[in-house]
Amino acid sequence: MKKFNIRKVLDGLTASSSSASAHPGPNQNDVIQETLQSEHFQLCKTVRHGFPYQPSSMAFDPVQKILAIGTQSGAVRLFGRAGVECYCQHESGAAVIQLQFLVNEGALVSALADDSVHLWNLRQKQPAILHTLKFNRERITFCHLPFQSKWLYIGSEKGNIHIVNVESFTLSGYVIMWNKAIELSSKTHPGPVVHISDNPMDEGKILIGFECGTVVLWDLKSKKADYRYNYDEAIHSVAWHHEGKQFTCSHSDGTLTTWNVRVPTKPVITITPHGKQPKDGKKPEPCKPILKVEYKTTRAGDAFMVMSGGLSYDTCCRRACLTVMHGKSTAVLEMDYPIVDFLTLCETPYPNDFQEPYAVVVLLEKDLVVIDLGQIGYPIFENPYPLSIHESPVTCVEYFADCPPELIPALYSVGSRQKRQGYSKKEWPISGGNWGQGTLSYPEIIITGSNDAWLTVHYNVPFPVMLQVLYKLKTAKVFERSLKGAKEEKQNTEIVDEDPFAIQSLSWCPESRMLCVAGVSAHVIVYRFSKLEITTEVLLEVRMQCELNDVDSPDPADHPPTPSTPAAHSSASPSQERDPFETQQSTTDEGPRDNVPCLKVRSSPLKQSPGYQVDLVVQLVWVSGEPPQQITSLAVNSSYGLVAFGNSNGLAVVDYLQKTLLLNMGLSELYSPSEPYQRQPRSPRKTRQPSGGEGFPYSVYNGISTLLSCCGSSSTVWYVRNAHQASPTCGRCFRKHGVKSLQITSTNVPQFLLWYAVLADAKDSFSRSRSSSVTSIERESREAVSSIHFMESFPRKTDSSASPSLWVGSTQGTLLMLALSLPPTGDQRLQEPWILSLCPVGTLVRLKGGILTMAFLDSLGVIVPPLYEPWSEPNAPDEEKEKARRRRPASPAPTQEGQDSQYAVVCSEKQAKVLGLPSQSHCFKHNITESSFVLRADVVQMTAGLCLACFCANGHIMTLSLPSLRPLLDVNYLPLTDMRIARTFCFSNLGQALYLVSPTEIQRITYSQETCNNLQEMMGELFTPVETPEAPNRGFFKGLFGGGAQSLDREDLFGEIAAGKASRSLAQHIPGPQSMEGMKGAASGVVGDLARARIALDERGQKLGELEDRTAAMLASADSFSRHAHDMMLKYKDKKWYQL
């Protein structure tokens, strides 16, 4: 008899409850065939866009034309031509203090703040570390790698210099000790090593700069100091003149000293570039330190001297500057951000030749600037990299893959007009590397919003894989920024600590090009896309103030006269003689603010360029001294012409075509009276009965549509600015519903409109006063709208055909649905007033956690997108508008009796469910996580089918099949270490996702196996075989008499035979995954080997050619000497000795 095991039974129950369905429909698995399998998914990082966060160092390979930037977090970004870039990361995460290229060798040396030195192999698409050397007893302060040398000089904080072989990454026994470098009579330590460089004309001499101001010229062969140069101020940098006879030092007092190599007593030239020169000949006033100086010579003209810093202390508020001194001219170039480092790009990599500088690369804290030295005025190059995502922190990100193909040219046509002018006409000088072979077959758009109200549309270029800015939009242009009354304006914006114009969320319809932006100051801006420029005149508005009576019926004495004339209105009461809107805006410390928006819309004309233009502005206002709640969800539908948004107070629906407020309800009103999930009020409130006994009375007169929400315990106070002409009958309408006052200040038609609305739970009076503690508790516990979705669906179980509906998800996990009755399309939709017929269906389903996303599938499992109207020019003439025909996508087919023709996929922070419609049956259910919660979820279209992608707070990325919710992928990718990731993580179609990994960088990832397989082909190559430029010609006499640069066999000095072995305790060698030879072979292959062999043969032939030239020169010299001797012999041949 088989033994019964209770554990197996429990395991089976757990598995079935977590992944299996609850009530599958009839023959459901036979109808929808799921094609996605686990082998279709694989997670990996793809590309990182943006500017390196907190840069710390920079290096440039003059032959390969590659730029490397190190950061304080241990990252290294490598840039070649546009579309060729790479990201590397040190495991320790220590700051990169210095980078050094092995010029034209495909390798990079990085020195970190944790006293480690790393050798990177760049001969593969994804660079890897070959060797690591970790110093134990000394701190690294400076590194120097001479051109075409394998010996790396490393200066330490103790003042010593160690030498490393970059091929084996081992220390040499040759050490330059600080006590031998300085004078024996010196009694103080010279400080850390701040500079090391070899003499351009003599490789056997190196220049060592100490922080105290001492510079030493060290002879490597004799192991002693030839000369010592002392100055009173600390040294920051040293620059050689190419002939090796002079060098220039920059000091902490803003001075530049130029020294002759053979005259160590005093500098030849001492200047203070930005110091005030006294008339009495005294020393100039000290300035800020000159952090770096470079001296570059030219054949045809004067030399260039480039430096950073050195400004006078009087210009303390001035921005960071780069100074370019060329001959007698001095140019001061102001930068937007502090300068981290700069490099001068030259035509030749040889330091002993005329450098011929042509550009300066300036690394700023938040930008990269390249200055053209060859043109008058020093213009900058146009940067092809998408380095600057935003100048201020990014607050929201949306990712759209597989967009309409005509959208990219439309955005580019309007965005190209926003580009700056005056760039250099030359090509971008950082042009190394080759593009990858793979391409993206679909266009991608990334929209980012920032703290300073900038909205940027980025286009992911398919080939090469890179990000390009298409269009920028400043959303704060519709608001006033006046300096007058700044104190009051600051008080009104107490809803946020700072940045009241910051963008919080957005909703975009790519097909209709409608854009809605929600800000942190509880405002919503609706934009339309237009190719024509318009000017919005001064805003003329209709102002209305509505207050409900506390009694069941209105008092006739309180009714104002019909506001047909100003005189009639002014006779109502003394307190109503002023503009009620103005009265409400003037706040004092004596009473709470009420009916005041956080921001003020501008009243002056607004010129709107082609692109996205403001169509409507909605603002929530203060109520009884409390600021409005921030908007938590937003949705726009171009087919219906509606915008819906919600917060913790309720839901609002606005018709942006007629500029009318259609719906303004508290969330509790959406529940049916018999709802089991209905949220009851948290405190007893007086129930207000509407006059006439109507539940949701509407007033529609001459296009002015109002809603007085009188049901239950909620009330509404709002202001409307409407485009339609007001009529005296409006006053009678409002009196009918208990309106105390109504004022119409203008009957003109404005060209763009502003709404003020309040979504607030009201108590007995609007002048109530509550303690701040109770208010904060209720604010935390109240239920909010977390998700909104427009869809042609089946609101009721008895529906046989789909109809417009609005789906609303709450933070308590409740899914509500509202049936919408829309007017006919066409001209009637725009001209005739209409009433929104609302039918709250009630709760469909309840999930654990707040609802994050919703999507709909048809009977075959294909996603059903919301209806939309194709884009047409909104500012076109009437004749063209009549010709433009609007088309709607086909509605879902009618359902057959007893079968579901649509499935709703709902995902919350804990669960995912699939509902069958119209039966509203629960088909499938899956518990996504128990210990954590979902941050972002989206239904995405893969190549082989649909899936539900989720990102959890514990770092897991999961995908579930649809509609069965079968787990396909679960990878522990990235734990939530920063709220920035939670705020910006988003999925897109075809297995793409991205998030903001730092305030200035976007990290793209893929969870598609197909994309991972093609990733290597899509990535560009950093290293390409390039021949090293020829060495400068030394000339006949220099070659004959031994002049020119003198070479040095460093192997004889630093090798183990001559210098011995270094101390093992000084540094620890950590080998990389493979040896240098193995990595080179695996990375480069046969083509690279042949290229290197060809380059080696060329170099050998070049050396043989130089030897042949020297031999020929010596032969010619000997022949000339022979002829000269023969002529002398013939001249004195027949002369006697006394005739000489």
Side-chain angles (χ1 to χ4, degrees), residues 511-774:
E511 291 78 11
S512 64
R513 306 179 191 175
M514 289 297 302
L515 174 66
C516 286
V517 178
V520 296
S521 297
H523 64 273
V524 175
I525 309 176
V526 181
Y527 290 92
R528 286 177 179 267
F529 184 83
S530 175
K531 295 182 179 180
L532 303 178
E533 180 179 314
I534 62 172
T535 300
T536 303
E537 301 296 336
V538 177
L539 183 64
L540 301 177
E541 61 211 24
V542 176
R543 299 174 179 175
M544 293 178 289
Q545 180 180 7
C546 305
E547 293 183 3
L548 296 180
N549 290 327
D550 294 335
V551 294
D552 294 343
S553 61
D555 186 3
D558 294 334
H559 291 173
T562 301
S564 57
T565 62
H569 175 73
S570 61
S571 62
S573 63
S575 61
Q576 295 175 357
E577 293 181 2
R578 295 175 299 175
D579 189 344
F581 186 80
E582 298 291 341
T583 304
Q584 297 294 342
Q585 270 194 334
S586 59
T587 60
T588 61
D589 297 335
E590 298 178 357
R593 290 187 297 273
D594 198 7
N595 306 332
V596 180
C598 296
L599 302 174
K600 183 180 179 181
V601 175
R602 61 182 296 170
S603 57
S604 58
L606 177 62
K607 182 179 180 182
Q608 303 197 66
S609 303
Y612 277 100
Q613 300 172 351
V614 180
D615 188 56
L616 182 68
V617 179
V618 182
Q619 284 200 92
L620 306 185
V621 300
W622 288 67
V623 177
S624 299
E626 293 185 12
Q629 299 297 306
Q630 292 188 356
I631 296 170
T632 56
S633 58
L634 178 68
V636 61
N637 187 278
S638 59
S639 180
Y640 304 156
L642 301 179
V643 174
F645 61 92
N647 59 7
S648 60
N649 291 325
L651 175 70
V653 179
V654 176
D655 181 0
Y656 65 81
L657 296 178
Q658 293 191 10
K659 312 299 186 296
T660 54
L661 176 64
L662 301 180
L663 175 66
N664 186 355
M665 298 180 66
L667 193 58
S668 61
E669 298 172 1
L670 301 180
Y671 290 95
S672 298
S674 59
E675 280 292 342
Y677 308 121
Q678 184 178 6
R679 294 291 183 276
Q680 298 297 331
R682 289 168 295 278
S683 59
R685 299 181 181 180
K686 180 180 178 181
T687 303
R688 294 181 177 177
Q689 299 295 335
S691 61
E694 298 176 358
F696 296 97
Y698 288 86
S699 303
V700 183
Y701 287 87
N702 293 342
I704 298 182
S705 176
T706 65
L707 169 63
L708 302 182
S709 203
C710 306
C711 179
S713 59
S714 295
S715 182
T716 303
V717 176
W718 43 271
Y719 292 92
V720 182
R721 298 184 182 183
N722 199 300
H724 300 282
Q725 190 172 8
S727 171
T729 56
C730 299
R732 293 193 297 271
C733 166
F734 285 114
R735 288 197 301 273
K736 177 181 177 182
H737 296 294
V739 178
K740 281 189 175 181
S741 63
L742 169 68
Q743 180 183 9
I744 302 176
T745 58
S746 175
T747 58
N748 296 327
V749 180
Q751 295 190 14
F752 86 87
L753 306 108
L754 169 68
W755 285 70
Y756 291 127
V758 174
L759 298 176
D761 294 336
K763 288 194 176 181
D764 295 339
S765 173
F766 287 126
S767 61
R768 65 189 183 274
S769 176
R770 297 185 296 178
S771 65
S772 59
S773 60
V774 176

Side-chain angles (χ1 to χ4, degrees), residues 822-895:
L822 300 178
T825 58
D827 295 337
Q828 297 179 357
R829 173 68 177 85
L830 300 177
Q831 297 176 1
E832 295 184 2
W834 63 283
I835 299 176
L836 175 65
S837 177
L838 174 66
C839 178
V841 179
T843 304
L844 294 181
V845 67
R846 177 74 184 279
L847 287 78
K848 295 180 180 179
I851 294 179
L852 300 177
T853 187
M854 292 172 277
F856 294 84
L857 313 179
D858 61 10
S859 58
L860 300 179
V862 180
I863 191 168
V864 181
L867 296 184
Y868 63 87
E869 294 285 355
W871 176 82
S872 62
E873 176 57 55
N875 299 320
D878 296 337
E879 296 77 8
E880 297 184 8
K881 288 183 179 180
E882 293 179 359
K883 296 180 182 179
R885 296 182 179 179
R886 293 176 173 264
R887 304 184 305 274
R888 271 189 185 178
S891 300
T895 179

Side-chain angles (χ1 to χ4, degrees), residues 640 789-807 815-820 841 844 854-857 864-867 890-895 901-905 915-920:
Y640 304 156
H789 195 84
F790 289 99
M791 178 53 60
E792 293 274 329
S793 185
F794 302 89
R796 307 167 187 85
K797 294 182 179 181
T798 58
D799 290 343
S800 60
S801 61
S803 61
S805 60
L806 178 63
W807 294 64
L815 178 63
L816 304 168
M817 182 166 60
L818 288 77
L820 307 178
V841 179
L844 294 181
M854 292 172 277
F856 294 84
L857 313 179
V864 181
L867 296 184
S891 300
T895 179
S901 61
Q902 196 178 73
Y903 299 96
V905 181
L915 306 178
L917 299 176
S919 66
Q920 299 183 8

Side-chain angles (χ1 to χ4, degrees), residues 9 57 62 66 150 224 290 356 371 401 470 518-519 528 607 647 729 882 894 916 933 1103 1112:
V9 176
S57 58
I66 298 175
K150 66 177 183 179
K224 65 178 183 179
I290 298 179
E356 302 292 342
I371 302 170
L470 277 182
R528 286 177 179 267
K607 182 179 180 182
N647 59 7
T729 56
E882 293 179 359
F933 57 93
K1103 292 181 180 179

Side-chain angles (χ1 to χ4, degrees), residues 1052-1128:
D1052 293 342
L1053 292 176
F1054 308 143
E1056 185 177 345
I1057 299 176
K1061 294 183 179 181
S1063 174
R1064 294 184 178 181
S1065 61
L1066 180 61
Q1068 177 186 3
H1069 176 253
I1070 304 174
Q1074 299 181 16
S1075 62
M1076 172 74 87
E1077 293 77 16
M1079 289 296 290
K1080 285 185 178 181
S1084 57
V1086 178
V1087 177
D1089 293 339
L1090 292 176
R1092 286 193 299 274
R1094 179 166 56 87
I1095 294 174
L1097 289 175
D1098 293 342
E1099 293 177 354
R1100 183 179 180 183
Q1102 181 181 356
K1103 292 181 180 179
L1104 291 176
E1106 292 178 357
L1107 180 61
E1108 184 178 357
D1109 292 342
R1110 292 187 61 182
T1111 305
M1114 293 179 64
L1115 181 61
S1117 177
D1119 188 23
S1120 176
F1121 180 78
S1122 176
R1123 289 198 304 270
H1124 183 70
H1126 183 69
D1127 293 342
M1128 292 290 293

Side-chain angles (χ1 to χ4, degrees), residues 481-487 489:
R481 282 178 174 265
S482 59
L483 298 177
K484 296 180 180 180
K487 186 175 181 180
E489 291 182 3

